[in-house]
Amino acid sequence: MELQGSRRLEPDGTSTTVGFFGDPAGRCFFALHQPAAPPAAAVLICQPICAEGPRNYRREVDLARSLAGGGIAAFRFHYRGSGQSEGTAPGTIDGMVADARAALQHLGSYHVPIGLLGTGLGANVAAAAAADMPGAPIAMWEPAVDPGRYFKDVFRARVITDLKSGAGGGGPSPARVLQTEGLVDVAGYPITTELVESAARHPLSPDLGEHPRPMLVIEMNARGRPRESVVELARRWESAGHDVRLEVVEVDESWWFGASGRGGTIDTTATATEMLPITADFLTAHLTSARA
């Protein structure tokens, strides 16, 4: 691959290369996890946005390392204007999709089957980026089924956090602030009108393209069952010929409630113990069968 960066050899024989790719005016940070031998397949990991990124960072790193250990290259990256990437924050979903497609071009040089993982709105990014990749498997962690509802929940988290801290009450709602000022802060991250409007243009269902593909959806909630919106969407996907698998990890993670979450400090170890093997097995099985 024509990627410049700093390479580190891991104890298990895999390697991790970190660097930047893309437009010199706004390059994206990447971390490429490579197996010891030439990879049999590759996976692009599309991170979630804002407060969801730090909460899922360790899980995504651990998944990438697990995939590399199993012979599959894994490519993590930060969208322009986020994380360690260059550019002005925050961006739009359209810009994030463009970054994901640029990353896919680098993975394409391997000439192996490619799968994708997306978390939160990163699932919408992954779906749009893979629209012209027939049959490519996609794994999704807590996907934003309805972007409009997604941001309503984000703003509700802001209101609850403000009330608990004593800072809320009497002021305009986050939605009103966004409408009048074009930007609102939630958990220390700016949410702009451009971001919200661009997300509305990328609902999950139509962005997946017309070709059937295997899909894994993992939900995290204390109810032990998927959201009705996810169940309904899965039914529509299955009717269109997609092979859909739904899984639920019983834990209450509220990513937008600040550093300590809604009910105290969040331990992501438990969810990782369940989520990572399920995701790694799903991607490995479908990517290796595609190669065969």
Side-chain angles (χ1 to χ4, degrees):
M1 297 178 69
E2 296 298 326
L3 285 172
Q4 301 299 318
S6 174
R7 183 173 179 267
R8 181 181 69 246
L9 187 64
E10 307 292 353
D12 61 356
T14 64
S15 65
T16 304
T17 301
V18 297
F20 293 87
F21 72 93
D23 189 338
R27 299 177 301 166
C28 293
F29 169 84
F30 76 88
L32 173 62
H33 302 261
Q34 295 174 285
V43 171
L44 179 67
I45 297 177
C46 298
Q47 66 173 10
I49 67 167
C50 301
E52 297 179 347
R55 292 293 173 85
N56 285 279
Y57 174 80
R58 176 49 52 188
R59 280 190 283 246
E60 292 173 350
V61 171
D62 289 344
L63 175 66
R65 290 175 174 170
S66 174
L67 290 169
I72 296 176
F75 193 98
R76 299 184 297 108
F77 71 102
H78 298 166
Y79 310 115
R80 282 171 293 173
S82 70
Q84 299 182 58
S85 290
E86 300 171 347
T88 303
T92 65
I93 302 300
D94 304 274
M96 296 172 194
V97 173
D99 293 339
R101 286 175 174 158
L104 285 169
Q105 290 182 353
H106 290 289
L107 284 181
S109 66
Y110 278 131
H111 303 292
V112 295
I114 298 175
L116 301 94
L117 165 72
T119 302
L121 274 176
N124 303 58
V125 172
D132 56 354
M133 300 169 61
I138 297 180
M140 306 177 188
W141 293 346
E142 282 286 305
V145 176
D146 179 349
R149 174 61 184 270
Y150 169 86
F151 281 107
K152 286 182 180 178
D153 290 341
V154 168
F155 296 153
R156 185 177 298 115
R158 154 72 187 268
V159 171
I160 294 174
T161 301
D162 286 349
L163 288 172
K164 289 180 65 176
S165 67
S173 68
R176 181 63 177 171
V177 173
L178 181 69
Q179 183 180 22
T180 57
E181 300 184 13
L183 182 148
V184 63
D185 179 276
V186 180
Y189 294 90
I191 304 297
T192 66
T193 301
E194 291 79 10
L195 174 61
V196 174
E197 291 179 348
S198 70
R201 296 193 292 270
H202 290 284
L204 270 178
S205 189
D207 269 354
L208 281 166
E210 299 178 356
H211 301 281
R213 70 177 75 242
M215 288 184 285
L216 168 69
V217 179
I218 296 182
E219 292 253 275
M220 287 176 274
N221 62 60
R223 300 187 305 275
R225 62 181 186 277
R227 291 168 289 170
E228 287 301 320
S229 59
V230 173
V231 173
E232 176 57 32
L233 184 58
R235 291 194 186 109
R236 296 205 302 270
W237 282 338
E238 289 174 339
S239 298
H242 299 292
D243 178 11
V244 185
R245 174 181 172 185
L246 293 181
E247 297 282 351
V248 177
V249 175
E250 293 190 41
V251 64
D252 185 14
E253 286 199 11
S254 303
W255 298 335
W256 286 90
F257 280 88
S260 62
R262 178 165 47 194
T265 301
I266 292 176
D267 178 10
T268 61
T269 305
T271 53
T273 301
E274 298 181 56
M275 291 169 59
L276 299 191
I278 293 173
T279 307
D281 289 348
F282 165 84
L283 290 168
T284 300
H286 288 287
L287 288 170
T288 54
S289 65
R291 183 177 178 85

